[in-house]
Each structure stands twice: as C-alpha cells, then as structure tokens.
Amino acid sequence: MSPSETELMLKGYGLTTAEIFYRMPDYTHVLNSYIWQDYDLAPDHPKLFEFVEFWQTSLDGPLHSVRFSHRKLLKSGEWQNQVGEFTLH
C-alpha cells in the first residue's frame, strides 16, 4: 500500500513539476512538451531522475530539455493537530 499524500508531505516530500521538451522521432524539427508531476525529495529528486532515465532508455523521442520546479506544501511547524467541532444551524 502506498502512503497517502499527507504522509508523504509530513516525511518531507514536496510536489515536483517538470516540463519535458522532446523531439518527435519522425519529425526532428518539431518540439513537443510533456508535463510530469509527482511527490519527490529535494534536492536530489530521485523520482524525477528515475523518470528521465526511463524516458531515455525506453521511449523513442529524444529529450531536448527539462525544466522543473519543486514546492514543499507543508513545512515544519505548519502542521498542527486541531481538535474541535463547530455546529452551524
């Protein structure tokens, strides 16, 4: 069973978004883009590099470039357990 998004964020993972530019195999003058997103650990980004290696070994479209950004959605000190109930009407 894979961990939930909240569990990953509490372990220090952040959302990594990569825009991958690649050339079409039959039309090398055409650039296409592909958006990839996953929870990953900065600064090493093991999941992103694993995906790029998979692309290079298994897919025909040669890579042109990769741009990525990383954002930690939870930082230490931001997570607090709140106990309470509000009743409306």
Side-chain angles (χ1 to χ4, degrees), residues 35-56:
I35 303 295
W36 175 89
Q37 261 189 340
D38 204 350
Y39 288 96
D40 209 353
L41 286 171
D44 296 333
H45 301 287
K47 287 188 178 184
L48 174 60
F49 286 112
E50 179 182 329
F51 181 75
V52 169
E53 286 176 21
F54 164 77
W55 186 294
Q56 291 176 331

Side-chain angles (χ1 to χ4, degrees), residues 70-89:
H70 179 84
R71 173 82 169 116
K72 285 185 97 171
L73 302 176
L74 278 179
K75 298 177 186 146
S76 61
E78 288 186 1
W79 177 261
Q80 296 178 10
N81 184 18
Q82 298 292 326
V83 178
E85 183 176 328
F86 294 98
T87 306
L88 295 175
H89 302 285

